[in-house]
Amino acid sequence: MGFARACSVALVGVEGVVVEVQADLEPGVAAFTLVGLPDKSLVESRDRVRAAVVNSGAEWPQKKLTVGLSPASVPKSGSGFDLAVACAVLGAAERIDPKAIADLVLIGELGLDGRVRPVRGVLPAVLAAAEAGYRQVVVPEQTAGEASLVPGVSVLGVRSLRQLIAVLTNEPVPEEEPAPQGSPDAMLAGLMVPGAGVGTGLALQPVDGPDLADVAGQRKARTALEVAAAGGHHLLLHGPPGAGKTMLAERLPGVLPPLTRRESLEVTAVHSVAGILPPGEPLVRTPPYCAPHHSATMQSLVGGGNGLPRPGAVSLAHRGVLFLDETPEFSGKALDALRQPLESGHVVVARSAGVVRLPARFLMVLAANPCPCGRHTLHGAGCECPPSVIRRYQARLSGPLLDRVDLRVGVEPVDRGDLLGQGGRGEPTEAVAARVRAARERTAARLQGTPWTVNSEVPGHELRTRWPVAAGALAAAERDMERGLLTARGLDRVLRVAWTIADLAGRDRPQEYDVDLALELRTGISRGVPMAVGGGRQ
């Protein structure tokens, strides 16, 4: 009788559980039994592993073989257990030393010819292994760079099962020919899953992405964009078609500060699980930009799918921007499903196969036309939408959702002077991003020692008691509350925006100008203040 064990990782969302793969050989009729709550793709690993072992030059044991995946209560899915199953079987057959694989974490799919194919979710799997105390992992060569992002873990990238057997038995390592230069590599197919991220509108922003200087005019909207980036405030842009709403949203990721090391690992883990991590780019360093089509379902926004839920648009936009163009055209249920992740920064999706908790701390930008034809606010444009149709169209954005949006800015049509550059172009992205980074640093210094990192996360009670504004600065806000134009929650959100404006201007606390500008950006009612967050009154 032979027994051996190896380790692999089962992913539940973006969190991993270390699974012990045990192989037991007993005398009897040759059979291969796999137990431990495997799914269909994992059950099929019996045939893949047997063919891979034989084609790698090893002898398949002609005995009763039982492979157990422990803990048996955790659902296991995918083909990433193949490598661990093969090594456990070879260890039980004494082809390799069982002690050499007892503390190894092996992740990878096996082809029938013995080649090791890459799988999704290598980064969160290795993170889970490191947290469990394992220090040696074996992964496919194509994902070795992704696994190496985890500190304190020794990573071995292999191309085939033959190479791994040679390494474990101290034999000469055979050479495996890579794919010819310039030809498509079929081995990378497992990293990009069709339908996993295409419909979400995900686009990684290059370092030299679209510049904010390309936007003509729109001084108020540009100010709101800067405030949104500095404080993490959600933004609504409403105005006629062609005014520049989409252009502004597309340039917001370039204004955001670069991702920290921890944030990059979080974003990369989500993208790796979703199967949209670009090959050759093991680490996502820039804030992601996700713009799903208005026909997107609730499951594609918050997460879902058959079996264990996959990450949706809110998770793919984690630490980045979620842009909903033509927001009133989205399903009402889909929009209302955003309310919980907007508050908590994560989404919990429950399905029959299990419950998954996915990160979803994103900056939301909504864009909406004033009416179905978009010409309601234009003079002489010939809008023929009845008032009842306009009211129903605008009511598609529910009050609870809008209450979570701190900045609501009207985007007016660009006049001829701004379009032709006669009025001068606005600031480039680089200049605005520098102010945003400086404001974030001031915010971080003030919030040091607290669980919050940006102004939009600070509770209203703390703002009113721990960090009060200057004396008399709330006069206009108090009048709006007495008139019913501002609720208590709305006042808290105005205070958050006012603190962001003060941080952009370098002030130690919000003054009357900061609160008045925050009120105008919140309510849309003109307060007669200049739209210059960095050069307002001192």
Side-chain angles (χ1 to χ4, degrees):
M1 182 180 69
F3 176 83
R5 66 183 181 90
C7 294
S8 191
V9 178
L11 288 178
V12 183
V14 294
E15 299 176 355
V17 178
V18 176
V19 173
E20 188 176 76
V21 181
Q22 303 171 340
D24 177 71
L25 283 175
E26 295 181 357
V29 178
F32 189 169
T33 304
L34 182 65
V35 297
L37 211 59
D39 72 342
K40 179 65 175 176
S41 62
L42 186 49
V43 168
E44 293 174 349
S45 70
R46 295 178 300 184
D47 300 317
R48 291 194 301 270
V49 170
R50 181 187 292 109
V53 168
V54 172
N55 290 326
S56 297
E59 183 179 352
W60 184 259
Q62 298 300 319
K63 296 181 180 180
K64 181 181 178 181
L65 171 62
T66 303
V67 174
L69 308 176
S70 179
S73 59
V74 176
K76 292 98 179 168
S77 61
S79 57
F81 293 88
D82 289 1
L83 199 59
V85 171
C87 287
V89 172
L90 292 173
E94 298 183 352
R95 174 63 179 85
I96 58 179
D97 185 3
K99 296 181 181 179
I101 60 173
D103 295 325
L104 273 185
V105 176
L106 303 110
I107 304 166
E109 175 186 335
L110 285 175
L112 300 184
D113 57 354
R115 290 186 298 172
V116 181
R117 305 177 65 94
V119 294
R120 295 177 292 149
V122 167
L123 177 59
V126 177
L127 283 170
E131 291 176 359
Y134 292 87
R135 292 294 174 262
Q136 291 182 316
V137 299
V138 179
V139 299
E141 187 181 53
Q142 294 88 341
T143 57
E146 182 180 345
S148 300
L149 296 173
V150 182
V153 176
S154 175
V155 178
L156 173 63
V158 294
R159 293 184 185 176
S160 67
L161 181 60
R162 283 184 292 271
Q163 287 186 338
L164 181 57
I165 293 175
V167 171
L168 295 175
T169 56
N170 294 322
E171 298 174 358
V173 179
E175 291 291 335
E176 298 287 348
E177 294 184 5
Q181 189 94 16
S183 63
D185 189 358
M187 299 288 286
L188 299 177
L191 297 178
M192 306 294 290
V193 178
V198 175
T200 58
L202 182 76
L204 294 178
Q205 296 293 306
V207 178
D208 54 347
D211 200 301
L212 200 56
D214 300 334
V215 181
Q218 307 300 353
R219 185 177 182 184
K220 184 176 182 180
R222 291 169 61 95
T223 298
L225 202 74
E226 183 176 345
V227 173
H233 306 285
H234 304 302
L235 172 64
L236 168 63
L237 301 172
H238 55 89
K245 301 186 293 294
T246 303
M247 286 187 66
L248 288 163
E250 290 176 344
R251 283 149 180 79
L252 180 55
V255 180
L256 293 174
L259 298 178
T260 64
R261 176 74 178 185
R262 178 180 177 182
E263 293 171 344
S264 292
L265 290 176
E266 292 176 1
V267 175
T268 303
V270 175
H271 290 194
S272 178
V273 169
I276 55 177
L277 193 64
E281 295 289 340
L283 185 64
V284 179
R285 294 182 173 84
T286 58
Y289 173 80
C290 191
H293 191 261
H294 59 75
S295 61
T297 62
M298 181 175 66
Q299 289 76 14
S300 67
L301 283 181
V302 300
N306 297 327
L308 286 175
R310 291 198 303 263
V314 296
S315 297
L316 299 180
H318 180 59
R319 301 296 181 183
V321 177
L322 177 66
F323 176 50
L324 303 183
D325 200 4
E326 306 290 349
T327 309
E329 301 294 342
F330 279 79
S331 163
K333 291 183 178 180
L335 291 177
D336 287 338
L338 299 176
R339 289 153 52 181
Q340 186 260 343
L342 284 174
E343 291 288 342
S344 62
H346 65 268
V347 59
V348 178
V349 184
R351 295 292 185 269
S352 59
V355 179
V356 172
R357 184 181 186 273
L358 299 168
R361 188 166 297 282
F362 55 90
L363 179 55
M364 183 178 67
V365 180
L366 308 178
N369 293 329
C371 67
C373 75
R375 300 191 297 268
H376 174 60
T377 57
L378 300 178
H379 297 290
C383 175
E384 298 180 354
C385 299
S388 58
V389 173
I390 296 175
R391 286 195 300 269
R392 284 197 301 269
Y393 185 80
Q394 295 178 350
R396 292 180 182 178
L397 299 181
S398 65
L401 177 64
L402 288 179
D403 197 37
R404 291 164 170 80
V405 179
D406 296 344
L407 309 173
R408 309 170 189 176
V409 179
V411 182
E412 301 296 332
V414 182
D415 58 35
R416 182 177 60 183
D418 288 333
L419 187 61
L420 298 179
Q422 297 173 2
R425 289 293 185 180
E427 292 179 293
T429 296
E430 184 179 358
V432 179
R435 285 201 301 271
V436 169
R437 287 194 299 269
R440 288 273 186 124
E441 291 172 359
R442 296 188 189 98
T443 304
R446 184 174 65 254
L447 299 180
Q448 188 175 8
T450 70
W452 316 296
T453 56
V454 291
N455 289 320
S456 61
E457 300 173 357
V458 183
H461 173 74
E462 297 288 339
L463 291 175
R464 293 191 300 269
T465 57
R466 188 171 179 179
W467 294 292
V469 300
L474 290 176
E478 293 171 354
R479 289 194 298 268
D480 282 1
M481 287 193 69
E482 293 175 356
R483 298 170 184 170
L485 300 176
L486 198 66
T487 63
R489 179 186 290 178
L491 176 61
D492 291 342
R493 295 189 174 273
V494 167
L495 287 175
R496 294 171 182 170
V497 176
W499 267 107
T500 301
I501 296 171
D503 287 335
L504 283 167
R507 288 185 276 273
D508 58 350
R509 65 176 58 193
Q511 306 294 323
E512 181 180 1
Y513 163 81
D514 303 316
V515 177
D516 289 348
L517 180 54
L519 281 170
E520 181 169 343
L521 294 175
R522 168 84 179 180
T523 64
I525 302 175
S526 177
R527 310 285 169 162
V529 294
M531 286 290 159
V533 291
R537 294 197 300 264
Q538 299 295 326

